[in-house]
Amino acid sequence: MAKVLIIGEHDGQTLNPATAKTVQGASGLGIDDIDIVLFGTALDDVAAQAAAVNGVSRVLTCVHDDFAHPLASRIAPEVAAIAGDYSHILTGSTTFGKDLLPRAAALIGVNQVSDIMEVIDARTFKRPIYAGNAIVTVEVPEGGPVVGTIRSASFAAAGEGGNAEISGLEPQAEDPGHTRFVRVEGSGGDGPDLASADVVVSGGRALGSADNFAIIFSLAQKMGAAVGASRAAVDAGYVPNELQVGQTGKIIAPDLYFAIGISGAIQHLTGIKDAGTIVAINKDADAPIFEIADFGLVGDLFELVPELEKAV
Amino acid sequence: MKILVTIKRVVDYNVRVRVKPDGSGVETDGVKMSINPFDEIALEEALRIKERGEAEEVVVVSIGGTEVQQQLRTGLAMGADRAIQVETDQAVQPLTAARTLLKLVEKEAPDIVFLGKQAIDDDCSQTGQMLAALWDRPQATFASRVELADGKATVTREVDAGLEVNEVDLPAVMTSDLRLNEPRFVKLPDIMKAKRKPLDTVPLADLGVDSPPDLVARTYEPPPRRGGGKMVGSVAELVGELKNKGLL
Ligand SMILES: Cc1cc2nc3c(=O)[nH]c(=O)nc-3n(C[C@H](O)[C@H](O)[C@H](O)COP(=O)(O)OP(=O)(O)OC[C@H]3O[C@@H](n4cnc5c(N)ncnc54)[C@H](O)[C@@H]3O)c2cc1C
Ligand SMILES: Nc1ncnc2c1ncn2[C@@H]1O[C@H](COP(=O)(O)O)[C@@H](O)[C@H]1O
């Protein structure tokens, strides 16, 4: 039985782009049967979006008040309960997927393949290790399903135009009652989403303060770009954590990436290896970021960034 | 309250890891090894909880060969009360690590098991979630703030959307994110004192852990290199290049 189950990610209104990218990754398995399962309280809109993704055969909607927030301890047993019907269980390598899927994998009794960046065949995958300094080809042994997360930066989103069948699915597990969602605090900025933006402008420690970071936001706004940051900038409190790019932040693949006042530590570079074109602005001509940048400009960012904003 | 903290021995985060020319693995000979940075943060948090008077004992655990005793000793020097080495020559994958930790949890009955959110060698980010599943307890992953009261923990988690706050009943599994705290430096007298703290060794084979078939690593390769770039002399030149490429 070759059948793929993808756990869809959404916020109640919109299907996360990571899900269509996971479908694209799954399409390389050579398996035609791809289902998306959604957990939520009201799923009509999201289910319609999932059904429109090319290559999807069925959308399963599991509706219950318990699913108002995606708590791994509540959802993982549901995934494990339906796993028996599938040869592959996949989701995006977002914090949703990273939190949920290993919990389901343990219940199913298999190791997970994290951050799949390339599909070799139905059971063989490439994935990055050591902050992307090495790529390992791993084979999943027989005897259980393939459980894996798909690295969003490695796959384009599957297109739209599909017309999958939508059907309901009854919850099978109970709320363990030991974990409660309290709140989520996001900056909720109105710019484009960092994970999927075509252009990203990132600032580093060199910005020096939250106030100074305004020149990065201003340039990004002029270009219709999303704003990112190095860990040092986040740690220093210039910008919120969800803007961090890198090994432990977001792994992104915009067409154009600006690294401004960022030295280019390995952990940061891991997050931008798949960017189309990288531009670096740094006052230190020996900064490691210039080794991987497509275009490098040496100078003081406080002069160059306003100049750039005028020129674009 | 008792807190169990896991410590994995990994290649130090400052080392630029290289793939062996024959693709059989990565170069680890003569390379500096350290406590996985996330585990150091987990341990620091456990020690702070103890120093606030909210826990009595902090136990560090590592699964690996004799060499992991170095990292356990460092953990003791940071302030852990005792250490357990689960001895094995084989590298364990996350599900085996989680099943092994479950055996220790059954014996030690901790209120919190604190792990790193990921090991910076395999970058799996699985073990904590797996342990929580097998133990049938809450998981508070990617924690950047932990508050304890009345048998519950309020944990702030770093998620893609921002910061999510969850409340979990204890006992629970937590995994640390980078901004949880900044680990302390170990002082020389503490290293001396740590030599007298207990470090127990248990062979993995004695724990009765049922290992699932492991993922098989076929080959290792270096990441594709980005082509050499070009230095530009001015903003005007940069904008010209980007326009040429159709990016502006
Ligand atoms: C386990 C682990 C995980 C990590 N994960 C991440 C991650 O996900 N993302 C991440 O980014 N980091 C991560 N880091 C941290 C990483 O190692 C670096 O410390 C961090 O990326 C440095 O940030 P930065 O480049 O902004 O700061 P710095 O390294 O301090 O660089 C600042 C740069 O700005 C330049 N500069 C200064 N003033 C000016 C000026 N006026 N004009 C122009 N240029 C100027 C300097 O020349 C320098 O190159 C991680 C570290 C560890 C240990
Ligand atoms: N062999 C091990 N010994 C001790 N702790 C481990 C071991 N393997 C994994 N861990 C813990 O599990 C966390 C996540 O590891 P991983 O799932 O491999 O990314 C690490 O940060 C450690 O805290």
Side-chain angles (χ1 to χ4, degrees), chain B residues 6-8 36 38-39 61-64 92 94 97 101 114-119 122-128:
Chain B
T6 53
I7 286 187
K8 189 175 186 189
N36 182 42
F38 292 101
D39 300 350
V61 179
S62 190
I63 309 167
V92 293
L101 293 171
F114 228 128
L115 303 86
K117 86 160 178 182
Q118 79 197 59
D122 63 28
D123 282 335
C124 279
S125 195
Q126 301 176 19
T127 310

Side-chain angles (χ1 to χ4, degrees), chain A residues 204-206 230-232 244-249 261-263 265 267-268 282-284 287 299-302, chain B residues 13 37-38 120 178:
Chain A
R205 193 199 309 270
S230 70
R231 173 185 170 194
Q244 181 175 315
V245 171
Q247 181 190 15
T248 48
I262 292 177
S263 59
Q267 296 89 1
H268 188 81
N282 197 302
K283 71 173 181 193
D284 175 6
D300 183 354
L301 72 91
F302 294 105
Chain B
Y13 83 96
F38 292 101
I120 62 162
L178 289 170

